[in-house]
Short mmCIF file of all heavy atoms in Angstrom, two decimals:
data_model
loop_
_atom_site.label_atom_id
_atom_site.label_comp_id
_atom_site.label_asym_id
_atom_site.label_seq_id
_atom_site.Cartn_x
_atom_site.Cartn_y
_atom_site.Cartn_z
N MET I 1 0.82 -1.21 0.00
CA MET I 1 0.00 0.00 0.00
C MET I 1 0.85 1.26 0.00
O MET I 1 0.54 2.24 -0.70
CB MET I 1 -0.95 -0.01 1.20
CG MET I 1 -2.06 -1.04 1.10
SD MET I 1 -3.29 -0.88 2.43
CE MET I 1 -2.34 -1.53 3.82
N THR I 2 1.95 1.27 0.76
CA THR I 2 2.80 2.46 0.80
C THR I 2 3.54 2.66 -0.51
O THR I 2 3.73 3.80 -0.95
CB THR I 2 3.82 2.37 1.96
OG1 THR I 2 4.54 1.13 1.87
CG2 THR I 2 3.12 2.44 3.31
N LEU I 3 3.95 1.57 -1.16
CA LEU I 3 4.61 1.69 -2.46
C LEU I 3 3.64 2.24 -3.50
O LEU I 3 4.01 3.09 -4.32
CB LEU I 3 5.16 0.34 -2.91
CG LEU I 3 6.41 -0.18 -2.18
CD1 LEU I 3 6.71 -1.61 -2.60
CD2 LEU I 3 7.61 0.73 -2.46
N LEU I 4 2.40 1.78 -3.45
CA LEU I 4 1.38 2.28 -4.37
C LEU I 4 1.10 3.75 -4.11
O LEU I 4 1.05 4.57 -5.05
CB LEU I 4 0.10 1.47 -4.23
CG LEU I 4 -1.09 1.90 -5.10
CD1 LEU I 4 -0.73 1.80 -6.58
CD2 LEU I 4 -2.32 1.05 -4.79
N PHE I 5 0.94 4.12 -2.85
CA PHE I 5 0.66 5.50 -2.48
C PHE I 5 1.83 6.41 -2.87
O PHE I 5 1.64 7.49 -3.44
CB PHE I 5 0.41 5.60 -0.97
CG PHE I 5 0.18 6.99 -0.47
CD1 PHE I 5 -0.95 7.70 -0.84
CD2 PHE I 5 1.10 7.60 0.38
CE1 PHE I 5 -1.17 9.00 -0.39
CE2 PHE I 5 0.89 8.88 0.84
CZ PHE I 5 -0.25 9.59 0.46
N SER I 6 3.04 5.94 -2.59
CA SER I 6 4.23 6.71 -2.93
C SER I 6 4.35 6.89 -4.44
O SER I 6 4.73 7.96 -4.92
CB SER I 6 5.47 5.99 -2.39
OG SER I 6 6.65 6.71 -2.67
N GLY I 7 4.01 5.83 -5.19
CA GLY I 7 4.05 5.92 -6.64
C GLY I 7 3.06 6.92 -7.20
O GLY I 7 3.37 7.66 -8.13
N VAL I 8 1.87 6.96 -6.61
CA VAL I 8 0.85 7.92 -7.04
C VAL I 8 1.31 9.35 -6.76
O VAL I 8 1.18 10.24 -7.61
CB VAL I 8 -0.50 7.65 -6.34
CG1 VAL I 8 -1.50 8.79 -6.60
CG2 VAL I 8 -1.09 6.33 -6.80
N VAL I 9 1.87 9.57 -5.57
CA VAL I 9 2.37 10.90 -5.22
C VAL I 9 3.51 11.31 -6.15
O VAL I 9 3.59 12.45 -6.61
CB VAL I 9 2.84 10.94 -3.75
CG1 VAL I 9 3.50 12.28 -3.43
CG2 VAL I 9 1.68 10.70 -2.80
N ALA I 10 4.41 10.37 -6.45
CA ALA I 10 5.52 10.65 -7.36
C ALA I 10 5.01 11.01 -8.75
O ALA I 10 5.53 11.93 -9.40
CB ALA I 10 6.45 9.44 -7.44
N TYR I 11 3.99 10.30 -9.20
CA TYR I 11 3.42 10.57 -10.53
C TYR I 11 2.80 11.96 -10.57
O TYR I 11 3.00 12.72 -11.54
CB TYR I 11 2.37 9.51 -10.87
CG TYR I 11 1.65 9.78 -12.17
CD1 TYR I 11 2.26 9.53 -13.39
CD2 TYR I 11 0.35 10.30 -12.17
CE1 TYR I 11 1.60 9.78 -14.59
CE2 TYR I 11 -0.31 10.56 -13.37
CZ TYR I 11 0.32 10.29 -14.57
OH TYR I 11 -0.34 10.56 -15.75
N VAL I 12 2.06 12.31 -9.51
CA VAL I 12 1.44 13.64 -9.46
C VAL I 12 2.51 14.73 -9.43
O VAL I 12 2.41 15.74 -10.16
CB VAL I 12 0.52 13.75 -8.23
CG1 VAL I 12 0.02 15.19 -8.05
CG2 VAL I 12 -0.67 12.81 -8.36
N ALA I 13 3.55 14.53 -8.62
CA ALA I 13 4.63 15.51 -8.54
C ALA I 13 5.36 15.63 -9.87
O ALA I 13 5.74 16.74 -10.29
CB ALA I 13 5.61 15.10 -7.44
N GLN I 14 5.51 14.50 -10.56
CA GLN I 14 6.18 14.51 -11.87
C GLN I 14 5.34 15.24 -12.91
O GLN I 14 5.85 16.02 -13.70
CB GLN I 14 6.46 13.06 -12.29
CG GLN I 14 7.20 12.92 -13.60
CD GLN I 14 6.27 12.62 -14.76
OE1 GLN I 14 5.30 11.87 -14.60
NE2 GLN I 14 6.55 13.18 -15.91
N GLN I 15 4.04 14.98 -12.89
CA GLN I 15 3.14 15.62 -13.86
C GLN I 15 3.03 17.13 -13.60
O GLN I 15 2.89 17.92 -14.54
CB GLN I 15 1.75 14.98 -13.79
CG GLN I 15 1.70 13.57 -14.34
CD GLN I 15 1.99 13.51 -15.83
OE1 GLN I 15 1.39 14.22 -16.62
NE2 GLN I 15 2.94 12.66 -16.21
N MET I 16 3.10 17.52 -12.34
CA MET I 16 3.02 18.95 -11.99
C MET I 16 4.36 19.65 -12.13
O MET I 16 4.44 20.87 -11.96
CB MET I 16 2.49 19.10 -10.56
CG MET I 16 1.06 18.62 -10.37
SD MET I 16 0.50 18.80 -8.66
CE MET I 16 0.57 20.58 -8.45
N ALA I 17 5.41 18.88 -12.43
CA ALA I 17 6.76 19.42 -12.61
C ALA I 17 7.22 20.24 -11.41
O ALA I 17 7.79 21.32 -11.56
CB ALA I 17 6.83 20.26 -13.89
N VAL I 18 6.97 19.72 -10.22
CA VAL I 18 7.38 20.44 -9.01
C VAL I 18 8.90 20.39 -8.89
O VAL I 18 9.53 19.39 -9.28
CB VAL I 18 6.73 19.83 -7.75
CG1 VAL I 18 5.21 19.97 -7.80
CG2 VAL I 18 7.13 18.38 -7.58
N PRO I 19 9.51 21.44 -8.38
CA PRO I 19 10.98 21.43 -8.23
C PRO I 19 11.40 20.55 -7.06
O PRO I 19 10.61 20.28 -6.15
CB PRO I 19 11.31 22.90 -7.94
CG PRO I 19 10.06 23.44 -7.31
CD PRO I 19 8.91 22.72 -7.97
N TYR I 20 12.65 20.08 -7.12
CA TYR I 20 13.17 19.27 -6.01
C TYR I 20 13.32 20.14 -4.77
O TYR I 20 13.87 21.25 -4.86
CB TYR I 20 14.52 18.66 -6.38
CG TYR I 20 14.96 17.60 -5.41
CD1 TYR I 20 14.46 16.30 -5.49
CD2 TYR I 20 15.89 17.89 -4.40
CE1 TYR I 20 14.86 15.32 -4.60
CE2 TYR I 20 16.29 16.91 -3.51
CZ TYR I 20 15.77 15.63 -3.61
OH TYR I 20 16.16 14.66 -2.73
N PRO I 21 12.85 19.69 -3.62
CA PRO I 21 12.93 20.51 -2.41
C PRO I 21 14.37 20.81 -2.00
O PRO I 21 15.30 20.08 -2.36
CB PRO I 21 12.24 19.64 -1.34
CG PRO I 21 11.47 18.61 -2.11
CD PRO I 21 12.22 18.39 -3.38
N ASN I 22 14.55 21.86 -1.24
CA ASN I 22 15.85 22.18 -0.67
C ASN I 22 16.34 21.00 0.17
O ASN I 22 15.56 20.31 0.81
CB ASN I 22 15.72 23.45 0.19
CG ASN I 22 17.04 23.86 0.81
OD1 ASN I 22 17.46 23.31 1.82
ND2 ASN I 22 17.69 24.83 0.20
N ILE I 23 17.64 20.76 0.15
CA ILE I 23 18.22 19.61 0.85
C ILE I 23 17.88 19.61 2.33
O ILE I 23 17.65 18.55 2.94
CB ILE I 23 19.76 19.57 0.65
CG1 ILE I 23 20.35 18.31 1.29
CG2 ILE I 23 20.41 20.82 1.21
CD1 ILE I 23 19.86 17.01 0.69
N PHE I 24 17.79 20.79 2.92
CA PHE I 24 17.45 20.86 4.34
C PHE I 24 15.99 20.49 4.58
O PHE I 24 15.65 19.87 5.59
CB PHE I 24 17.75 22.26 4.89
CG PHE I 24 19.21 22.62 4.87
CD1 PHE I 24 19.72 23.51 3.94
CD2 PHE I 24 20.08 22.03 5.77
CE1 PHE I 24 21.07 23.82 3.90
CE2 PHE I 24 21.43 22.34 5.76
CZ PHE I 24 21.93 23.23 4.82
N VAL I 25 15.13 20.85 3.63
CA VAL I 25 13.72 20.45 3.72
C VAL I 25 13.60 18.94 3.62
O VAL I 25 12.84 18.31 4.36
CB VAL I 25 12.90 21.12 2.60
CG1 VAL I 25 11.46 20.60 2.60
CG2 VAL I 25 12.90 22.63 2.76
N VAL I 26 14.39 18.34 2.72
CA VAL I 26 14.38 16.89 2.56
C VAL I 26 14.84 16.20 3.83
O VAL I 26 14.21 15.25 4.30
CB VAL I 26 15.28 16.48 1.37
CG1 VAL I 26 15.39 14.95 1.30
CG2 VAL I 26 14.72 17.02 0.07
N LEU I 27 15.94 16.68 4.41
CA LEU I 27 16.49 16.06 5.62
C LEU I 27 15.54 16.20 6.81
O LEU I 27 15.28 15.23 7.53
CB LEU I 27 17.85 16.67 5.96
CG LEU I 27 18.98 16.36 4.98
CD1 LEU I 27 20.25 17.11 5.37
CD2 LEU I 27 19.27 14.86 4.95
N VAL I 28 15.01 17.40 6.99
CA VAL I 28 14.09 17.64 8.10
C VAL I 28 12.80 16.83 7.91
O VAL I 28 12.28 16.21 8.84
CB VAL I 28 13.76 19.14 8.25
CG1 VAL I 28 12.64 19.35 9.26
CG2 VAL I 28 15.00 19.91 8.67
N GLY I 29 12.29 16.83 6.67
CA GLY I 29 11.07 16.10 6.38
C GLY I 29 11.23 14.61 6.58
O GLY I 29 10.40 13.96 7.24
N PHE I 30 12.33 14.05 6.07
CA PHE I 30 12.54 12.61 6.18
C PHE I 30 12.78 12.19 7.63
O PHE I 30 12.09 11.32 8.16
CB PHE I 30 13.71 12.17 5.31
CG PHE I 30 14.12 10.74 5.55
CD1 PHE I 30 13.34 9.70 5.07
CD2 PHE I 30 15.26 10.43 6.29
CE1 PHE I 30 13.69 8.37 5.31
CE2 PHE I 30 15.62 9.12 6.53
CZ PHE I 30 14.83 8.09 6.04
N TYR I 31 13.79 12.80 8.27
CA TYR I 31 14.13 12.38 9.62
C TYR I 31 13.04 12.73 10.63
O TYR I 31 12.79 11.98 11.59
CB TYR I 31 15.47 12.97 10.05
CG TYR I 31 16.64 12.28 9.39
CD1 TYR I 31 17.35 12.88 8.35
CD2 TYR I 31 17.02 11.00 9.79
CE1 TYR I 31 18.41 12.22 7.74
CE2 TYR I 31 18.07 10.34 9.18
CZ TYR I 31 18.76 10.95 8.16
OH TYR I 31 19.79 10.29 7.55
N GLY I 32 12.36 13.87 10.40
CA GLY I 32 11.27 14.23 11.29
C GLY I 32 10.15 13.21 11.23
O GLY I 32 9.66 12.74 12.28
N LEU I 33 9.74 12.83 10.02
CA LEU I 33 8.67 11.85 9.86
C LEU I 33 9.12 10.45 10.26
O LEU I 33 8.32 9.66 10.78
CB LEU I 33 8.19 11.85 8.41
CG LEU I 33 7.39 13.09 7.99
CD1 LEU I 33 7.18 13.12 6.48
CD2 LEU I 33 6.05 13.13 8.70
N PHE I 34 10.41 10.16 10.06
CA PHE I 34 10.92 8.84 10.47
C PHE I 34 10.87 8.68 11.98
O PHE I 34 10.39 7.66 12.50
CB PHE I 34 12.35 8.66 9.96
CG PHE I 34 12.96 7.35 10.37
CD1 PHE I 34 12.69 6.19 9.66
CD2 PHE I 34 13.81 7.27 11.47
CE1 PHE I 34 13.24 4.97 10.04
CE2 PHE I 34 14.37 6.06 11.86
CZ PHE I 34 14.08 4.91 11.14
N PHE I 35 11.36 9.69 12.70
CA PHE I 35 11.35 9.60 14.16
C PHE I 35 9.93 9.66 14.72
O PHE I 35 9.63 9.05 15.74
CB PHE I 35 12.21 10.71 14.76
CG PHE I 35 13.69 10.47 14.58
CD1 PHE I 35 14.49 11.38 13.91
CD2 PHE I 35 14.29 9.33 15.09
CE1 PHE I 35 15.84 11.15 13.73
CE2 PHE I 35 15.65 9.08 14.92
CZ PHE I 35 16.42 10.00 14.23
N LEU I 36 9.05 10.39 14.03
CA LEU I 36 7.65 10.43 14.45
C LEU I 36 7.02 9.05 14.29
O LEU I 36 6.29 8.58 15.18
CB LEU I 36 6.89 11.45 13.62
CG LEU I 36 5.38 11.58 13.92
CD1 LEU I 36 5.17 12.08 15.34
CD2 LEU I 36 4.72 12.51 12.91
N THR I 37 7.31 8.39 13.18
CA THR I 37 6.79 7.05 12.95
C THR I 37 7.32 6.07 13.98
O THR I 37 6.59 5.21 14.48
CB THR I 37 7.16 6.56 11.53
OG1 THR I 37 6.67 7.49 10.56
CG2 THR I 37 6.57 5.19 11.25
N THR I 38 8.60 6.21 14.31
CA THR I 38 9.21 5.35 15.34
C THR I 38 8.51 5.53 16.68
O THR I 38 8.24 4.55 17.39
CB THR I 38 10.71 5.66 15.48
OG1 THR I 38 11.35 5.46 14.21
CG2 THR I 38 11.36 4.76 16.51
N LYS I 39 8.20 6.76 17.01
CA LYS I 39 7.55 7.06 18.29
C LYS I 39 6.11 6.53 18.33
O LYS I 39 5.63 6.08 19.37
CB LYS I 39 7.56 8.57 18.53
CG LYS I 39 6.98 8.98 19.88
CD LYS I 39 7.12 10.47 20.10
CE LYS I 39 6.54 10.91 21.44
NZ LYS I 39 7.23 10.26 22.58
N LEU I 40 5.44 6.57 17.17
CA LEU I 40 4.03 6.19 17.11
C LEU I 40 3.82 4.76 16.61
O LEU I 40 2.69 4.36 16.33
CB LEU I 40 3.28 7.15 16.19
CG LEU I 40 3.28 8.63 16.58
CD1 LEU I 40 2.61 9.46 15.48
CD2 LEU I 40 2.57 8.84 17.90
N ARG I 41 4.88 3.98 16.51
CA ARG I 41 4.82 2.67 15.86
C ARG I 41 3.84 1.70 16.52
O ARG I 41 3.37 0.76 15.87
CB ARG I 41 6.21 2.04 15.81
CG ARG I 41 6.81 1.70 17.18
CD ARG I 41 8.23 1.20 17.02
NE ARG I 41 8.85 0.82 18.27
CZ ARG I 41 9.46 1.68 19.10
NH1 ARG I 41 9.51 2.97 18.77
NH2 ARG I 41 9.99 1.26 20.23
N ASN I 42 3.52 1.91 17.78
CA ASN I 42 2.63 0.98 18.48
C ASN I 42 1.19 1.48 18.57
O ASN I 42 0.39 0.92 19.31
CB ASN I 42 3.16 0.71 19.90
CG ASN I 42 4.48 -0.04 19.88
OD1 ASN I 42 4.65 -0.99 19.11
ND2 ASN I 42 5.43 0.39 20.69
N SER I 43 0.88 2.50 17.80
CA SER I 43 -0.48 3.04 17.81
C SER I 43 -0.99 3.18 16.39
O SER I 43 -0.23 3.07 15.42
CB SER I 43 -0.51 4.41 18.51
OG SER I 43 0.11 5.40 17.70
N GLY I 44 -2.30 3.45 16.27
CA GLY I 44 -2.88 3.63 14.96
C GLY I 44 -2.32 4.83 14.22
O GLY I 44 -2.28 4.86 12.99
N TRP I 45 -1.86 5.83 14.99
CA TRP I 45 -1.26 7.01 14.36
C TRP I 45 0.04 6.67 13.64
O TRP I 45 0.49 7.41 12.77
CB TRP I 45 -1.01 8.10 15.40
CG TRP I 45 -2.27 8.77 15.85
CD1 TRP I 45 -2.92 8.60 17.04
CD2 TRP I 45 -3.05 9.71 15.10
NE1 TRP I 45 -4.06 9.37 17.08
CE2 TRP I 45 -4.17 10.07 15.90
CE3 TRP I 45 -2.93 10.27 13.83
CZ2 TRP I 45 -5.13 10.97 15.48
CZ3 TRP I 45 -3.89 11.17 13.40
CH2 TRP I 45 -4.97 11.51 14.22
N GLY I 46 0.64 5.54 14.02
CA GLY I 46 1.85 5.11 13.34
C GLY I 46 1.60 4.82 11.86
O GLY I 46 2.47 5.06 11.02
N LEU I 47 0.40 4.33 11.55
CA LEU I 47 0.04 4.09 10.15
C LEU I 47 -0.07 5.41 9.39
O LEU I 47 0.36 5.51 8.24
CB LEU I 47 -1.29 3.33 10.07
CG LEU I 47 -1.26 1.88 10.56
CD1 LEU I 47 -2.68 1.32 10.60
CD2 LEU I 47 -0.38 1.03 9.66
N VAL I 48 -0.63 6.43 10.06
CA VAL I 48 -0.76 7.75 9.43
C VAL I 48 0.61 8.33 9.13
O VAL I 48 0.86 8.83 8.02
CB VAL I 48 -1.56 8.71 10.34
CG1 VAL I 48 -1.62 10.11 9.72
CG2 VAL I 48 -2.97 8.18 10.59
#
């Protein structure tokens, strides 16, 4: 499901020709969401 969802988002971003985010946005976004997922891994919010 996540691969499918990620693929749909990638397709939309590709079709809209969005620019690649700033490297700091990428790092903050990835690690922030990763640690949030780790913290919420035992609850339903972890799926979100």
Side-chain angles (χ1 to χ4, degrees):
M1 290 187 287
T2 53
L3 287 172
L4 178 60
F5 177 67
S6 181
V8 170
V9 174
Y11 175 76
V12 172
Q14 182 261 322
Q15 290 295 308
M16 295 179 63
V18 297
Y20 191 80
N22 181 280
I23 184 63
F24 295 106
V25 174
V26 174
L27 292 176
V28 171
F30 171 74
Y31 285 106
L33 289 170
F34 179 81
F35 287 121
L36 179 64
T37 303
T38 302
K39 184 176 180 61
L40 300 174
R41 65 185 182 275
N42 294 317
S43 71
W45 287 105
L47 291 172
V48 177

